[in-house]
Amino acid sequence: MDPVAIRLFGIDIMWYGVIISTGIIIALLLTEYTCKLRDIKYDDVLTIFLITFPLAVIGARLYYVIFEFNNYYKDNLGDIFNIRQGGLAIHGAIITTVLVVYLYAKKKGMNFLALLDVAAPSLIIAQSLGRWGNFFNQEAHGGPVSKEFISMFPEFIQKGMFIDGTYYHPTFLYESIWNLAVFLVLFYLIHKVRKRGVVALSYLGLYSLGRFFIEGLRTDSLMIGPIRTAQLISILGIVICIAGLFMIYKGRKESL
């Protein structure tokens, strides 16, 4: 599996970057549509994106490096800034994004929950596509599986998951499909539900639910002692989702 898409003027353009960039473009196009459903100016959201995106990348990388520092980066400090081979943690990006959007909304007098609602479907579809970057890097896979098991998948998946003589669970594919299903739910909700925050909380809960189980199959999990970090964050996400939806449907006034 060659992680290089093309070589341009002597520079390797990685599939990982191509796929992430494509996901961003699709997400922005979709957000232009969802903004109309919530009467939010797309120009405002585009401004927020231009501010948030580079900070989210930094947050995703910082999150990953923090948990992998003792295992790798303390002896390879120069690689901290090399993201071309992957090493971006989506939870770090999400946490950073929510924080930046909250601060921006508070400063500009915009509704924080409404902004998250219009962004949620775009974010999950970008995540669904972005997992294919992991495929080309042959990372974020699960444990070993038999030839019989992997033969249920298309041949190109079989080849991509054949690493150093062993077949592995294509967990990138499981999450990509799950995220696509979550997108369909969120796309329905943003058309049918007017209560602010429901779409964003549904994103948090549904994504976290799938990620919890898929993370249990992976071999490259970031860890806090014996605990998989992503599973811990996923449990927190599910709790926040349930508590938030309870508050919304109990009629509590929005204060965000």
Side-chain angles (χ1 to χ4, degrees), residues 68-79:
E68 282 291 288
F69 187 80
N70 287 333
N71 294 331
Y72 179 76
Y73 292 104
K74 69 177 182 180
D75 298 319
N76 300 274
L77 295 178
D79 285 347

Side-chain angles (χ1 to χ4, degrees), residues 63-175:
Y63 184 100
Y64 184 86
V65 169
I66 287 173
F67 287 105
E68 282 291 288
F69 187 80
N70 287 333
N71 294 331
Y72 179 76
Y73 292 104
K74 69 177 182 180
D75 298 319
N76 300 274
L77 295 178
D79 285 347
I80 289 177
F81 303 100
N82 181 16
I83 64 173
R84 299 178 68 214
Q85 298 295 329
L88 298 175
I90 186 62
H91 283 129
I94 293 172
I95 293 169
T96 304
T97 296
V98 171
L99 178 60
V100 174
V101 171
Y102 174 75
L103 294 174
Y104 186 91
K106 190 175 182 66
K107 181 177 180 180
K108 297 295 183 178
M110 303 175 71
N111 189 280
F112 172 58
L113 293 179
L115 288 171
L116 293 185
D117 281 344
V118 301
S122 301
L123 179 58
I124 197 68
I125 198 66
Q127 288 177 244
S128 179
L129 184 59
R131 278 302 173 196
W132 287 88
N134 298 133
F135 171 67
F136 283 99
N137 279 353
Q138 294 186 307
E139 62 186 5
H141 57 71
V145 295
S146 66
K147 170 64 175 176
E148 182 181 11
F149 178 86
I150 202 69
S151 65
M152 296 186 296
F153 297 90
E155 186 175 353
F156 76 98
I157 297 290
Q158 297 179 41
K159 291 180 178 179
M161 289 294 97
F162 188 65
I163 305 170
D164 297 330
T166 303
Y167 290 105
Y168 290 94
H169 264 296
T171 47
F172 82 92
L173 179 63
Y174 305 159
E175 188 169 332

Side-chain angles (χ1 to χ4, degrees), residues 30-31 34-35 38 40 45 113-122 190:
L30 179 61
T31 304
T34 56
C35 280
R38 289 293 186 268
I40 292 177
V45 174
L113 293 179
L115 288 171
L116 293 185
D117 281 344
V118 301
S122 301
I190 201 168

